[in-house]
Amino acid sequence: MTWNWLRIDLTQAFATGHAEVAYGPGGLIYEAARLDVQEVLDELTGQDVGFRGANRSWRKGEDVVMAKSLHIWAVFEENPGELSDITARRLAEKLIARLRAADHGTPTQS
């Protein structure tokens, strides 16, 4: 079983309607995927205290965190035989759909 990380940046989503999605190289062990995200969150928290809550939650073991209502990080298990980018984009779409539904008070399917 291999893991990867995902970052969703919603900063431009309000203006363009599209979120920026980035993901790791894939083929990682769980701890390595989490460490990659932890390093980014540590750096961002040093630059902007608005990331402190997400950093704290990540360090407590959460696998999905959001900072400043605009930035999401997650780790996910890759699907055998599927390219990591396909799995990452599907997860990003699911998370964004849940945010939209929550914003509109609409339930979503898991």
Side-chain angles (χ1 to χ4, degrees), residues 22-88:
Y23 46 89
L28 303 171
I29 62 171
Y30 176 77
E31 292 81 4
R34 286 192 54 82
L35 182 59
D36 284 354
V37 173
Q38 185 64 64
E39 289 173 350
V40 171
L41 287 172
D42 286 345
E43 182 178 334
L44 290 171
T45 300
Q47 298 169 8
D48 182 341
V49 295
F51 291 92
R52 188 178 294 157
N55 195 338
R56 193 175 303 129
S57 294
W58 193 262
R59 286 183 176 277
K60 288 182 179 179
E62 296 290 327
D63 284 338
V64 179
V65 297
M66 178 180 252
K68 301 172 70 169
S69 298
L70 294 172
H71 308 278
I72 301 168
W73 288 270
V75 291
F76 63 93
E77 186 176 350
E78 296 178 302
N79 293 326
E82 182 174 73
L83 296 174
S84 192
D85 64 329
I86 293 171
T87 309

Side-chain angles (χ1 to χ4, degrees), residues 7-13 18-22 70-72:
R7 178 187 53 82
I8 304 169
D9 185 340
L10 300 169
T11 306
Q12 297 299 316
H18 299 286
E20 180 184 323
V21 176
L70 294 172
H71 308 278
I72 301 168

